[in-house]
């Protein structure tokens, strides 16, 4: 045994680590790294049909959820990136997901079906395809499906971050489903589409008071921007869903964007210290991530790891929803954005 090894061994016994043993340290520090990945809708959707037919079908299967696991992370993370959890959830006609709340902030992005509603803190929120719904941390919520076809949505949560901070909390409500005490959620037209706000007292909450963002509004905004040539060279026609009272992100831990690309659009490459999960609404294209092309089509989900070079290519007119952990980084000056020195990656 060398003197170095003997010293390292003695320090290990004292639960201390020699910082000069950097080869070992750099490998172990920072934990596992998420990788780029595409979860394909055409492969995952049939698995729901199979799941319904199993013994898991029927009462007690309120949580028919398929978690999206990033292959770069341990299975125990069950996460799409190191900070964001992504899942597909199916709810069948007549089903109720029991009322509960948790310290995880969550959002739903509807992929298929209509007729289900979520009650969030007493507000009834009806869901149509590609609508975005917010269930901020510790807001009571339940889901009820009164439609005729199965509904599927994408769930996005900040679970890995909250768990890392050891701030997990989960409670079931005494009553199974929540009765709405407001018949419908406030939508965009309540919040300054006209440049005016109704004369209610304005709270400056870190959570958006608007709990639903209709896709019909996002789609028109994207189409207008593309027609007007108002295109960001990195993100295409891009809009952020915002808290209408503050102009800030919709929730303190997650930011949401809608993006659109004309057919043939090929963006410049950029990398950010934030990570993202994208859900394709329509079209067909690819995201080039760290030099590798990841092809996608409708309802596919794509993981963009932190600090990976990303550029978008649209083979046909395309739109996507992007969920980002950017708000986690900003308060600490940790969000860094870098444009590729050559414009695009070589791939
Ligand atoms: Fe929940």
């Amino acid at each position: 045994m060398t003197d170095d090894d003997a010293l390292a061994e003695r320090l290990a016994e004292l639960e201390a680590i020699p910082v000069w043993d950097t080869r070992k340290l750099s490998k172990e520090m920072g934990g596992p790294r998420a990788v780029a990945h595409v979860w394909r809708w055409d492969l995952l959707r049939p698995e729901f049909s199979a799941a319904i037919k199993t013994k898991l079908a029927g009462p007690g299967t309120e949580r028919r959820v398929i978690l999206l696991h990033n292959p770069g992370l341990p299975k125990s993370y069950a996460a799409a990136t190191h900070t964001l959890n992504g899942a597909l959830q199916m709810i069948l006609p007549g089903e109720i997901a029991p009322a509960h709340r948790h310290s995880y902030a969550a959002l739903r992005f509807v992929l298929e079906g209509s007729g289900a509603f979520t009650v969030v803190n007493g507000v009834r929120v009806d869901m149509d395809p590609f609508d975005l719904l917010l269930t901020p941390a510790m807001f009571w919520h339940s889901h009820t499906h009164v439609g005729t076809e199965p509904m599927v949505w994408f769930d996005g949560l900040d679970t890995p971050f909250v768990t890392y901070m050891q701030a997990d909390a989960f409670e079931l409500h005494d009553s199974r489903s929540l009765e709405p005490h407001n018949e419908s959620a406030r939508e965009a037209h309540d919040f300054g589409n006209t440049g005016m706000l109704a004369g209610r007292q304005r709270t400056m909450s870190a959570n958006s008071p608007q709990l639903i963002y209709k896709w019909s509004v996002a789609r028109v905004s994207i189409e207008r921007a593309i027609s007007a040539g108002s295109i960001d060279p990195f993100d295409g026609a891009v809009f952020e869903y915002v808290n209408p009272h503050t102009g800030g992100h919709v929730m303190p831990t997650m930011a949401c964007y809608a993006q659109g690309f004309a057919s043939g659009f090929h963006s410049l490459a950029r990398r950010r210290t934030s990570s993202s999960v994208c859900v394709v609404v329509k079209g067909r294209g690819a995201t080039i991530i760290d030099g590798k092309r990841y092809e996608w089509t409708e309802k596919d989900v794509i993981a963009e790891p932190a600090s990976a070079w990303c550029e978008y290519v649209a083979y046909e007119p395309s739109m996507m929803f992007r969920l980002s952990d950017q708000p986690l980084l900003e308060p600490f000056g940790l969000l860094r954005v870098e444009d590729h020195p050559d414009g695009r990656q070589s791939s």
Side-chain angles (χ1 to χ4, degrees), residues 12-340:
E13 279 169 20
L14 297 170
E15 297 301 342
I17 298 168
V19 172
W20 55 87
D21 192 4
T22 50
R23 284 161 303 136
K24 192 152 181 259
L25 269 188
S26 59
K27 226 187 260 178
E28 289 174 5
M29 283 176 81
R33 300 274 165 158
V35 295
H37 190 73
V38 180
W39 291 272
R40 283 177 51 185
W41 173 256
D42 67 335
L43 298 180
L44 282 170
R45 176 64 181 82
E47 298 299 333
F48 275 121
S49 307
I52 293 167
K53 290 182 196 135
T54 69
K55 61 181 168 50
L56 293 172
T61 322
E62 298 92 347
R63 316 294 293 165
R64 196 175 290 101
V65 176
I66 295 175
L67 286 167
L68 303 178
H69 164 241
N70 188 297
L73 299 173
K75 280 255 174 15
S76 55
Y77 268 58
T81 75
H82 66 304
T83 54
L84 298 169
N85 175 276
L88 301 176
Q89 178 162 181
M90 174 181 272
I91 183 163
L92 297 178
E95 285 186 336
I96 296 171
H100 64 280
R101 64 178 184 173
H102 34 68
S103 55
Y104 318 114
L107 58 83
R108 331 241 160 272
F109 190 74
V110 181
L111 297 177
E112 180 184 295
S114 56
F117 63 85
T118 293
V119 178
V120 187
N121 271 10
V123 178
R124 176 175 165 155
V125 186
D126 289 273
M127 302 180 238
D128 291 309
F130 308 121
D131 288 351
L132 169 66
L133 275 80
L134 308 181
T135 51
M138 299 314 284
F139 278 38
W140 290 108
H141 54 283
S142 67
H143 314 301
T144 304
H145 191 6
V146 291
T148 54
E149 298 294 323
M151 264 193 91
V152 182
W153 61 71
F154 167 82
D155 283 314
L157 296 97
D158 57 9
T159 315
F161 169 70
V162 175
T163 300
Y164 176 76
M165 299 307 288
Q166 302 185 359
D168 307 73
F170 185 97
E171 293 172 52
L172 279 171
H173 199 271
D174 291 341
S175 56
R176 190 170 155 75
S177 68
L178 299 170
E179 291 304 316
H181 47 74
N182 284 339
E183 266 315 295
S184 65
R186 298 178 198 144
E187 294 181 9
H189 55 77
D190 288 330
F191 287 107
N193 264 6
T194 58
M196 303 170 80
L197 287 169
R200 65 174 75 91
Q201 186 168 3
R202 206 168 306 162
T203 56
M204 299 297 272
S205 164
N207 290 307
S208 173
Q210 187 178 329
L211 297 175
I212 183 160
Y213 295 76
K214 301 299 288 182
W215 180 252
S216 51
V217 174
R219 181 177 51 76
V220 168
S221 301
I222 289 170
E223 286 169 353
R224 280 194 186 139
I226 290 174
S227 313
S230 180
I231 305 298
D232 180 275
F234 297 93
D235 288 314
V238 58
F239 291 84
E240 179 170 4
Y241 296 85
V242 294
N243 175 338
H245 283 169
T246 64
H249 304 305
V250 287
M251 293 189 283
T253 52
M254 294 190 283
C256 298
Y257 300 86
Q259 293 178 234
F261 315 121
S263 183
F265 176 77
H266 188 159
S267 80
L268 299 179
R270 169 175 276 174
R271 64 178 175 185
R272 309 170 170 96
T273 47
S274 54
S275 67
S276 296
V277 181
C278 301
V279 183
V280 181
V281 171
K282 67 167 240 178
R284 209 168 53 81
T287 308
I288 301 170
I289 305 175
D290 279 343
K292 192 171 164 200
R293 186 173 285 246
Y294 294 84
E295 301 208 311
W296 42 253
T297 187
E298 290 175 17
K299 298 177 188 168
D300 288 348
V301 179
I302 306 121
E304 295 178 357
S307 299
W309 290 108
C310 293
E311 85 195 54
Y312 302 105
V313 186
Y315 304 152
E316 53 189 62
S318 302
M319 294 186 191
M320 62 168 61
F321 167 76
R322 185 164 68 85
L323 162 65
S324 162
D325 63 3
Q326 183 179 329
L328 293 176
L329 299 159
E330 287 170 337
F332 310 103
L334 295 173
L335 179 70
R336 293 191 302 280
V337 179
E338 186 183 352
D339 300 341
H340 198 287

